[in-house]
Amino acid sequence: MIWAYPDLKLTLLFAGIFILLYLLYITRFWAINRRLKVEKQRLFTKLIVRTSYFILFLIAFAGPSIGNSFKEVKEEGKDIFIAIDLSQSMVATDVAPNRLRRIQFELKELLKSFPSDRIGLIIFSTEAFLQLPLTYDQAVVNLYIDGLNIGLVPNMGTDLTTPLKMALDRFQNDQSPELKSKSVILISDGEHFGDNLGSISEELYDNGIKVFSIGVGTTKGGQMPRGNGVVIDPQTGQPALTKLNPDPLRYVANETGGQYFEISDQAQEMGSLISAIENLEGSVANTRVVEASSNKYFYFLLAALGLALLDMILPIKTIKI
């Protein structure tokens, strides 16, 4: 809270609580010292000193802003494409409630950390589709995340090169005049059946685009629900298992200068991913000078600490022997 933008109700609430507690303190202090037959002049002196630094502490906590100051603000922009695997294996239940539902929840938490950046969505299996172009509108991004399901793409396997090529193409054809750092968050269980992963990784690196890969699933694997049953392996006649394969995801991340992370019931590395993206040095998109209120709490706090220290080091004699 600062005086330039006061919250009157909150201020009155804190003031009322303080006055009530302080009146109780003074009443008890006065009663005890009357029994001890303390000289009134010394008693008043002690009360004045303590009341003074209590009030100064309150003023400091309120954050008094007196006058204005000017600051130069640098705006750094980030463009982030989120590429989400929607193949059949993404409904495996080795990650509760299933891989895709877990990712939907985690992405909503991720968005909260990038409120001023442009986010786009790409969905893929063997083919990639632009679900949402880069946008600042997080409400729209959340809406599209809610609607993700494996029925949106053909389920014939997974090719990690297709969403990376689409992201590269979109970044290269972006008409935005602002210079921004560019990155791709690639989310999959790592089952890759495509080619030229090395070639697309090299192109991304040459264009300064980092890939942050998220492997979702477990190495033990999980069954894939379908209708009222599960997907059956035609060769064995048993329920098919899909397992996390981190190797291609880790390869792409390493080749482009990004990082690899995992999400499962045992590993939760979304926080590390957020930190890694926040640490990207985005190009300065704009600089502007803003007028801000100048907070002067330090002076009141310093005075309060000085009086409190004086009260402790040089206590006023209250008991007459």
Side-chain angles (χ1 to χ4, degrees), residues 1-2 27 80 88 109 112 144 210 215 230 237 266 278 292:
M1 180 176 65
I2 58 176
T27 302
I80 305 169
Q88 180 71 43
E109 294 301 308
K112 296 176 183 178
Y144 274 89
K210 295 185 178 181
V230 296
Q266 291 75 38
E278 286 178 337

Side-chain angles (χ1 to χ4, degrees), residues 98-266:
N98 66 41
R99 295 174 180 177
L100 180 57
R101 293 291 172 262
R102 177 66 175 273
I103 284 298
Q104 287 175 299
F105 171 78
E106 298 292 350
L107 285 179
K108 288 189 174 184
E109 294 301 308
L110 179 142
L111 289 179
K112 296 176 183 178
S113 300
F114 304 100
S116 59
D117 299 312
R118 292 200 303 173
I119 308 292
L121 291 179
I122 295 174
I123 57 176
F124 70 95
S125 57
T126 51
E127 300 178 59
F129 303 88
L130 181 65
Q131 187 76 343
L132 180 67
L134 292 167
T135 178
Y136 290 107
D137 194 338
Q138 289 208 354
V140 174
V141 180
N142 275 299
L143 185 64
Y144 274 89
I145 290 174
D146 284 334
L148 293 175
N149 64 84
I150 61 172
L152 295 175
V153 296
N155 275 286
M156 302 296 292
T158 304
D159 183 356
L160 297 178
T161 60
T162 56
L164 297 177
K165 287 180 179 178
M166 176 169 285
L168 175 61
D169 180 66
R170 289 288 170 172
F171 280 136
Q172 289 177 331
N173 292 285
D174 182 33
Q175 300 298 319
S176 173
E178 298 177 350
L179 296 175
K180 298 173 178 287
S181 68
K182 298 175 174 61
S183 57
V184 179
I185 299 176
L186 179 63
I187 303 170
S188 177
D189 51 30
E191 293 184 339
H192 172 60
F193 302 99
D195 299 319
N196 300 321
L197 199 54
S199 176
I200 186 61
S201 298
E202 185 178 348
E203 288 188 65
L204 289 166
Y205 178 79
D206 291 341
N207 284 271
I209 302 169
K210 295 185 178 181
V211 177
F212 296 90
S213 301
I214 301 178
V216 54
T218 63
T219 54
K220 293 182 179 179
Q223 299 179 0
M224 297 170 281
R226 176 183 287 172
N228 295 325
V230 296
V231 176
I232 301 298
D233 187 338
Q235 296 181 352
T236 64
Q238 299 296 319
L241 290 180
T242 172
K243 300 180 181 181
L244 171 65
N245 179 18
D247 293 340
L249 296 171
R250 187 177 284 115
Y251 173 81
V252 173
N254 291 338
E255 291 297 306
T256 59
Q259 290 179 254
Y260 170 75
F261 305 93
E262 283 188 8
I263 291 179
S264 68
D265 288 344
Q266 291 75 38

